[in-house]
C-alpha cells in the first residue's frame, strides 16, 4: 500500500513508520519540520497543499497531536482550544479533506490516548481531546464506508517512562512495538469505527 503517515518523526510515528515499511508498504512521511512533505495539519491551507503533493494513497495514519497537561485549576479556555485544535480538529480535517484522495476501500487511523478512558491528574484537556477523537471515529465510520476509520489509543509508552512515568502511577505501559502492531491491524485489517487499545 501507499501510506501517508503524519507525525513520522515522533516516538510512535517512527515506530509505526518502521513497522509498516518492514511489511512492504510505501510510506510518505509528513511532519511540521521534517519528512517527505512538510505540513502543519492544524492549518487548513497546509492540508490542501499536502494532498496536492501526496496524490492518491491507500491509507492515512496519524501519530500526531499536541495537548497541554496542567492541573485543572490552571487550565485556561485557551488550553482546551489548543488541545481541540492540536489533536481533534486537525485529525478531523485530515479525514474531511483526505477522503477524496484515499482509495475508495482505503483507511484512516487516528490517535487518541489513554486519558480518554483512564484520566490522570493534569490530563483533563488530553481526556477531552482523546474522547472527542474516539467519538468522531465511531460516527465517521457510519458515513465514509467502504473507506474505514479507526483510532489507536495507547497507554504511556514503555520507552517514555523516564520522562512521563510519574504522571501515570500504576498504569501498565505499552511498548512502541505493540502500538505499531495496532496501527498494522487498522491499516491491513477490516475493522472500522473501532478504538484499538494496544
Amino acid at each position: 500500500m501507499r501510506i501517508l503517515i503524519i507525525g513520522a518523526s515522533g516516538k510512535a510515528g517512527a515506530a509505526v513508520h518502521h513497522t509498516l515499511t518492514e511489511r512492504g508498504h510505501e510510506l510518505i512521511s509528513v511532519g511540521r519540520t521534517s519528512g517527505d512533505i512538510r505540513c502543519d495539519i492544524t492549518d487548513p491551507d497546509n492540508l490542501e497543499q499536502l494532498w496536492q503533493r501526496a496524490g492518491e494513497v491507500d491509507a492515512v495514519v496519524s501519530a500526531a497531536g499536541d495537548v497541554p497537561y496542567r492541573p485543572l485549576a490552571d487550565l485556561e479556555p485557551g488550553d482546551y482550544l489548543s488541545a481541540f485544535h492540536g489533536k481533534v480538529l486537525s485529525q478531523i480535517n485530515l479525514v474531511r479533506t483526505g477522503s477524496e484522495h484515499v482509495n475508495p476501500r482505503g483507511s484512516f487511523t487516528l490517535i487518541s490516548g489513554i486519558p480518554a478512558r483512564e484520566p490522570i491528574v493534569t490530563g483533563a484537556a488530553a481526556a477531552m481531546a482523546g474522547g472527542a477523537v474516539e467519538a468522531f471515529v465511531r460516527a465517521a465510520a457510519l458515513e465514509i464506508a467502504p473507506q474505514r476509520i479507526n483510532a489507536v489509543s495507547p497507554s504511556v509508552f514503555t520507552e517514555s517512562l523516564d520522562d512521563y512515568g510519574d504522571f501515570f502511577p500504576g498504569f501498565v505501559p505499552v511498548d512502541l512495538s505493540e502500538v505499531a502492531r495496532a496501527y498494522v491491524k487498522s491499516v491491513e485489517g477490516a475493522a472500522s469505527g473501532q478504538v484499538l487499545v494496544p
Side-chain angles (χ1 to χ4, degrees):
M1 294 182 197
R2 191 167 188 263
I3 301 172
L4 193 71
I5 178 167
I6 314 296
S9 63
K11 283 189 177 180
V16 173
H17 189 288
H18 175 76
T19 299
L20 290 172
T21 300
E22 278 199 331
R23 295 181 66 80
H25 301 297
E26 176 191 349
L27 275 289
I28 306 159
S29 60
V30 178
R32 284 185 181 136
T33 59
S34 64
D36 299 317
I37 300 174
R38 306 288 169 88
C39 175
D40 178 355
I41 67 167
T42 65
D43 182 337
D45 292 335
N46 272 210
L47 280 174
E48 293 303 327
Q49 295 168 19
L50 168 65
W51 295 117
Q52 288 174 14
R53 294 190 59 193
E56 300 298 310
V57 297
D58 299 301
V60 175
V61 300
S62 175
D66 295 328
V67 295
Y69 283 85
R70 292 185 188 158
L72 187 65
D74 296 338
L75 285 168
E76 301 285 342
D79 292 316
Y80 290 102
L81 286 172
S82 173
F84 182 75
H85 284 285
K87 190 154 193 171
V88 185
L89 191 58
S90 59
Q91 294 190 98
I92 289 173
N93 281 337
L94 190 64
V95 175
R96 186 182 59 79
T97 63
S99 60
E100 64 187 49
H101 302 280
V102 173
N103 181 310
R105 300 194 71 83
S107 68
F108 295 89
T109 306
L110 310 185
I111 189 164
S112 59
I114 197 169
R117 63 185 186 279
E118 294 187 47
I120 61 168
V121 174
T122 74
M128 177 273 301
V133 169
E134 293 177 8
F136 170 74
V137 161
R138 287 189 288 269
L142 299 177
E143 299 191 46
I144 69 170
Q147 289 178 337
R148 298 180 301 103
I149 183 170
N150 297 295
V152 173
S153 180
S155 182
V156 60
F157 306 143
T158 304
E159 294 82 353
S160 297
L161 284 177
D162 287 345
D163 296 322
Y164 301 107
D166 290 346
F167 294 99
F168 295 88
F171 281 60
V172 177
V174 60
D175 293 349
L176 285 169
S177 61
E178 293 298 318
V179 176
R181 189 172 288 118
Y183 277 88
V184 170
K185 182 178 182 181
S186 177
V187 170
E188 297 182 10
S192 190
Q194 301 296 307
V195 177
L196 304 175
V197 179

